[in-house]
Amino acid sequence: MEQTAIQDLYQEDYAHCYGCGRNNAHGLQLKSYWQGEECVCRHTPAEHYTGGVPGFLYGGMVASLLDCHGAATAAAAKARESGEGVGRFVTASLTVDFAKPTPLGVELEIRGKVSEIKGRKVWVALSLHAGEILCATGRVLMIQLLSTSPAETSGI
Amino acid sequence: MEQTAIQDLYQEDYAHCYGCGRNNAHGLQLKSYWQGEECVCRHTPAEHYTGGVPGFLYGGMVASLLDCHGAATAAAAKARESGEGVGRFVTASLTVDFAKPTPLGVELEIRGKVSEIKGRKVWVALSLHAGEILCATGRVLMIQLLSTSPAETSGI
């Protein structure tokens, strides 16, 4: 059975994000999947998202990938803990540490692992790899929007 | 006399960034200007950079604006301190604290203030306002690339 991406379980009205919204035709439409004890997203950025020097991803996109995938990781982890459906999280705080330049033209792997869940707050530790190269690490504090707690179970 | 944007003083080979490169036709082409003891950038993001809920900017773009403007602030401050031309900085670390949702359709004002300069390292404190609303604050550690230290003075 094919796994459903976490972003495809966001409520219709909350699925417009440029980074990860299925309803944003201009955006990246990132897809994140639960895998073991982690959440994984694979994405190959377009060449025009270059940094100052061509051939490397611009820092803002590294931050975007970690941020959107962090939100998905939080949503999935909270749904698994509560047994309820996938809610929608917003970022309270995001930190990115850039370890190495992120090459373009390579599929990137972004991994998220939950550090703590406390009510509507979820802390996630993140990493971004290009092949074997660890390009960036990050951490986010995500907060669940009160208006997004669907009752049905999601099956992630 | 019209002031030159800091990004327009970046070396030709380092001006391709999606966020702030004058040589990136697809990008935002952010422009930052030194003003008193701060550095200021004004930008109105396009509507498709929406977050999950339409009408508000997605978090990754908030991070991008702070990151690119942080790099410009660092470059300008270092040039003013050293009396040399504007070099190119890359981000070592970026933290964003999201205070309120950032509305779309409004000109945003991003401000950067240098906290410390130590050799090639520059720390910058950042804020993002939409009118009177403080939407986000941030801080970055920027590091000057060794290859970008033009000898001529820049006049910022």
Side-chain angles (χ1 to χ4, degrees):
Chain A
M1 193 184 85
E2 195 150 324
Q3 206 183 352
T4 305
I6 295 152
Q7 291 87 354
D8 290 338
L9 298 166
Y10 289 166
Q11 284 175 286
E12 203 60 23
D13 292 349
Y14 293 83
H16 294 82
C17 175
Y18 182 81
C20 61
R22 65 181 179 277
N23 294 335
N24 190 326
H26 302 279
L28 310 177
Q29 305 212 350
L30 299 176
K31 305 291 181 196
S32 303
Y33 299 92
W34 199 264
Q35 198 176 87
E37 289 308 304
E38 289 187 303
C39 193
V40 182
C41 171
R42 291 189 177 86
H43 179 70
T44 307
E47 296 287 326
H48 61 261
Y49 291 118
T50 173
V53 179
F56 297 97
L57 190 61
Y58 92 108
M61 180 59 75
V62 172
S64 298
L65 296 175
L66 296 184
D67 186 41
C68 279
H69 180 61
T73 303
K78 181 68 186 177
R80 286 166 60 92
E81 186 211 46
S82 66
E84 293 182 358
V86 166
R88 192 69 169 96
F89 283 70
V90 291
T91 316
S93 181
L94 161 73
T95 295
V96 184
D97 291 312
F98 297 83
K100 304 243 179 197
T102 302
L104 279 168
V106 180
E107 186 181 71
L108 306 176
E109 186 179 89
I110 306 111
R111 290 190 165 265
K113 197 164 190 172
V114 169
S115 315
E116 195 182 346
I117 301 178
K118 207 170 175 179
R120 290 163 51 220
K121 294 182 181 172
V122 180
W123 287 261
V124 182
L126 296 146
S127 65
L128 185 151
H129 279 85
E132 295 297 304
I133 308 166
L134 175 63
C135 301
T137 56
R139 49 195 184 279
V140 287
L141 165 56
M142 292 283 165
I143 300 184
Q144 185 172 13
L145 292 171
L146 279 175
S147 51
T148 60
S149 305
E152 78 278 12
T153 53
S154 61
I156 37 168
Chain B
M1 194 184 85
E2 195 148 325
Q3 206 182 352
T4 306
I6 295 153
Q7 291 88 354
D8 289 339
L9 297 166
Y10 288 166
Q11 285 174 287
E12 204 59 24
D13 293 349
Y14 293 83
H16 294 82
C17 175
Y18 183 81
C20 60
R22 65 182 179 276
N23 294 335
N24 191 325
H26 302 279
L28 311 176
Q29 305 210 350
L30 299 175
K31 305 290 181 196
S32 303
Y33 300 92
W34 199 265
Q35 198 177 84
E37 289 307 304
E38 288 189 304
C39 192
V40 183
C41 170
R42 291 189 177 86
H43 179 70
T44 307
E47 296 287 326
H48 61 261
Y49 291 118
T50 173
V53 180
F56 297 97
L57 191 60
Y58 92 109
M61 181 59 76
V62 173
S64 298
L65 296 175
L66 296 183
D67 187 41
C68 280
H69 181 62
T73 304
K78 182 66 187 178
R80 286 165 61 91
E81 187 211 46
S82 66
E84 294 182 359
V86 167
R88 192 70 169 93
F89 282 71
V90 291
T91 318
S93 182
L94 161 73
T95 295
V96 183
D97 291 312
F98 296 83
K100 303 241 180 198
T102 302
L104 279 168
V106 180
E107 186 181 71
L108 305 177
E109 185 179 271
I110 307 111
R111 291 190 164 266
K113 199 165 189 173
V114 169
S115 315
E116 194 182 345
I117 302 179
K118 206 170 175 179
R120 290 163 50 219
K121 294 182 181 173
V122 181
W123 286 262
V124 182
L126 296 147
S127 65
L128 186 152
H129 279 85
E132 296 296 304
I133 308 166
L134 174 63
C135 301
T137 56
R139 50 195 183 280
V140 287
L141 164 56
M142 292 284 166
I143 300 183
Q144 186 173 11
L145 291 171
L146 279 175
S147 52
T148 60
S149 305
E152 78 277 15
T153 53
S154 63
I156 37 167

